[in-house]
Amino acid sequence: MKLPKALAFDVFGTVVDWHQSIAREARSFVANHLPGVSAERFALEWRMLYQPAMQRCRSGDRPFVPLDELHHEMLLELLEQYNLPASRFEPSTLHGLSSAWRRLDPWPDVPLGLSRLRTHLPVVTLSNANVSLMVAMNRFNGLQWDAILGAELAKAYKPQPTAYLATAGALGLPPQELCLVACHHSDLAAARACGLQTAYVDRPLEYGGAPAPDASSQQAWDWQAESLIDLADQFERAAAKIHDGG
Amino acid sequence: MKLPKALAFDVFGTVVDWHQSIAREARSFVANHLPGVSAERFALEWRMLYQPAMQRCRSGDRPFVPLDELHHEMLLELLEQYNLPASRFEPSTLHGLSSAWRRLDPWPDVPLGLSRLRTHLPVVTLSNANVSLMVAMNRFNGLQWDAILGAELAKAYKPQPTAYLATAGALGLPPQELCLVACHHSDLAAARACGLQTAYVDRPLEYGGAPAPDASSQQAWDWQAESLIDLADQFERAAAKIHDGG
């Protein structure tokens, strides 16, 4: 097992706790307009429209559009489901709410784990988030990357192979030398099919404790960690072993 | 004059002193193989092949290739001019030398100036450097950006309009809200033609004190600064004035 030359991170769920952050950002809107609905449920329902929204771009039904726009369309769709037409709101209220996806907090292990990993090798994003969303989120939560790569660069949403291969290409690496870090088995499976190394990070609270929808894609991944600090520990031990000729 | 929403930086010359850095990196090679030639002259001659090399991509004579590859081809061409065929060297020697463009030092005002500017607004690269070159250079010299954008994203070398427009697009900004920061009048003129704001930073030592080749493109730019610290001062004064309703 060779050490990778760079790490590429999934972001929603792996790096940031979208569920609690969106619930926080949506709480007052939900309390005002959807009595009896919890902000946590609203966050889960919003996220459930994510894969279908991207699927329309993946399938070619529509051209690639940045995730910020999909988040907004998904919000309008969700409000429709609740019989709350968009016309009832100021456009700025709805845009302010959909930009909640730019204000997500990292899991507690992330700031230290990420900065430790970055001392060893380049660490980039390989997210479905568009560049301006990622830039805004990083400025909100203080995380720092070597580059923002992923879906928008490739004009293709994960798990389309181009998203992984364009990221490796931009780093000047063959896929085998890039490792995807993700908490989603489905994402890792697609990356492995493209030749990337794979590192699984467990995020049992991504859906507020409910089971993840992709358990059936589980495999034995190249790396398996409980946090980014654990992953940094494992990389450091593996590097020391290689260095010692072990 | 509205403040820009983000800054996009030219890198070679504006941020890093390629001339002295390449001279340093090439010094022992030049001393060993080109007696009587100074490393500073070698650096200037290498850089003189830069515009013609990119022009073959701009004109469509060849597809877009990353700048790392052009730097290597330019090195082989320069050695040919000195009657030093590449076959006389180990490939690793020549690749090590052409990767010198990944090991460039910033001008002394850059670390502080850049980090001050980043506290106010997103700051990205809009360079002809490819992503992996920029990532390596940042890891070498410690500079930190909000995103690595520019030529490779657009698959077009500056001053082609796409390079500027794709960078604004990735930031989700109309060109008028993005400001190019550069020490080259020609680069700023192309950015202005695309609608970008323009900030000139004077780098009188870029060519070791020799005059810059693009003096004829000089115009009155939106901002004009002697260093990035001066630029940060000017932005802060302008922001305070707007804030005071002045």
Side-chain angles (χ1 to χ4, degrees):
Chain A
M1 175 70 195
K2 276 190 158 179
L3 284 174
K5 297 266 175 69
L7 300 179
F9 271 75
D10 173 58
V11 174
F12 298 113
T14 302
V15 172
V16 294
D17 178 359
W18 59 265
H19 179 242
Q20 283 303 318
S21 303
I22 292 295
R24 176 197 68 218
E25 294 283 328
R27 197 168 309 281
S28 80
F29 179 92
V30 172
N32 288 333
H33 301 289
L34 294 167
V37 176
S38 76
E40 285 72 15
R41 174 177 151 191
F42 186 83
L44 284 173
E45 288 175 340
W46 196 353
R47 180 70 171 182
M48 277 176 61
L49 301 173
Y50 176 63
Q51 291 299 338
M54 289 188 297
Q55 191 52 34
R56 290 191 281 276
C57 296
R58 293 188 198 112
S59 68
D61 269 5
R62 61 185 298 193
F64 180 87
V65 291
L67 190 60
D68 269 329
E69 289 180 38
L70 295 184
H71 279 146
H72 191 65
E73 294 174 11
M74 289 151 57
L75 174 64
L76 302 187
E77 196 180 333
L78 180 57
L79 296 180
E80 282 289 344
Q81 291 178 9
Y82 278 111
N83 292 313
L84 283 177
S87 57
R88 281 188 45 187
F89 301 94
E90 290 289 331
S92 62
T93 302
L94 299 182
H95 281 285
L97 184 52
S98 49
S99 71
W101 293 91
R102 294 173 160 221
R103 296 184 295 276
L104 307 181
D105 289 329
W107 301 103
D109 55 290
V110 168
L112 178 60
L114 203 57
S115 74
R116 274 182 58 195
L117 289 166
R118 282 192 75 213
T119 63
H120 301 292
L121 72 184
V123 180
V124 304
T125 61
L126 201 179
S127 165
N128 281 332
N130 47 301
V131 172
S132 59
L133 190 169
M134 276 307 312
V135 166
M137 191 196 297
N138 295 329
R139 293 180 68 82
F140 173 80
N141 66 23
L143 298 182
Q144 188 70 64
W145 308 87
D146 284 281
I148 311 300
L149 304 175
E152 190 179 14
L153 169 78
K155 298 275 184 285
Y157 280 116
K158 295 191 290 179
Q160 287 186 289
T162 327
Y164 306 95
L165 297 174
T167 297
L171 292 168
L173 296 176
Q176 293 72 20
E177 297 186 351
L178 180 63
C179 181
L180 179 74
V181 184
C183 66
H184 305 124
H185 298 299
S186 51
D187 196 3
L188 293 168
R192 174 172 275 179
C194 291
L196 274 73
Q197 293 187 35
T198 52
Y200 175 77
V201 180
D202 198 25
R203 296 296 187 198
L205 296 177
E206 178 180 7
Y207 296 91
D214 66 342
S216 65
S217 303
Q218 187 158 3
Q219 301 176 31
W221 305 114
D222 301 317
W223 307 83
Q224 182 129 350
E226 292 184 359
S227 69
L228 298 196
I229 292 169
D230 180 22
L231 188 64
D233 287 341
Q234 292 186 38
F235 273 122
E236 285 168 10
R237 282 199 299 270
K241 211 166 154 185
I242 288 168
H243 189 260
D244 295 345
Chain B
M1 173 71 195
K2 276 191 160 180
L3 284 175
K5 296 266 177 69
L7 301 178
F9 270 74
D10 173 59
V11 174
F12 298 113
T14 302
V15 172
V16 294
D17 178 359
W18 59 265
H19 179 241
Q20 284 302 318
S21 302
I22 292 294
R24 175 197 68 217
E25 294 283 327
R27 197 168 309 280
S28 80
F29 179 92
V30 173
N32 288 332
H33 302 289
L34 294 167
V37 177
S38 75
E40 284 73 15
R41 174 177 151 190
F42 186 83
L44 286 173
E45 288 175 340
W46 196 353
R47 180 71 171 181
M48 277 176 62
L49 301 173
Y50 176 63
Q51 291 298 339
M54 289 189 296
Q55 191 50 37
R56 289 189 282 274
C57 296
R58 292 187 199 113
S59 68
D61 270 4
R62 61 185 298 193
F64 180 87
V65 291
L67 190 60
D68 270 329
E69 288 180 39
L70 295 184
H71 280 146
H72 191 65
E73 294 175 10
M74 288 150 59
L75 173 63
L76 303 186
E77 195 180 333
L78 180 57
L79 295 180
E80 282 289 343
Q81 291 178 9
Y82 278 112
N83 292 314
L84 283 177
S87 57
R88 281 189 44 187
F89 302 95
E90 291 289 331
S92 62
T93 303
L94 298 182
H95 281 284
L97 184 52
S98 47
S99 71
W101 292 92
R102 295 174 159 221
R103 296 185 295 277
L104 308 181
D105 289 330
W107 300 103
D109 56 290
V110 169
L112 177 61
L114 205 55
S115 73
R116 274 183 57 195
L117 290 166
R118 282 193 74 214
T119 63
H120 301 292
L121 72 184
V123 179
V124 304
T125 61
L126 201 180
S127 165
N128 281 329
N130 47 301
V131 172
S132 59
L133 189 168
M134 275 307 310
V135 166
M137 192 196 296
N138 294 330
R139 293 180 68 82
F140 173 81
N141 66 23
L143 298 182
Q144 191 72 70
W145 307 86
D146 284 281
I148 311 299
L149 303 175
E152 189 179 15
L153 169 78
K155 298 275 183 287
Y157 280 116
K158 293 190 293 181
Q160 287 184 290
T162 328
Y164 307 95
L165 297 174
T167 297
L171 292 167
L173 296 177
Q176 292 71 20
E177 296 186 352
L178 181 63
C179 180
L180 178 74
V181 184
C183 67
H184 305 124
H185 299 298
S186 51
D187 196 4
L188 293 168
R192 173 172 276 180
C194 292
L196 276 72
Q197 292 187 36
T198 51
Y200 175 78
V201 180
D202 197 24
R203 295 299 187 196
L205 295 178
E206 179 181 6
Y207 297 91
D214 66 343
S216 66
S217 303
Q218 186 157 4
Q219 300 176 32
W221 305 114
D222 301 316
W223 307 83
Q224 181 128 353
E226 292 185 359
S227 69
L228 298 195
I229 292 168
D230 180 22
L231 188 63
D233 287 342
Q234 292 186 39
F235 273 123
E236 284 166 11
R237 281 198 299 271
K241 211 167 155 186
I242 289 169
H243 188 262
D244 296 345

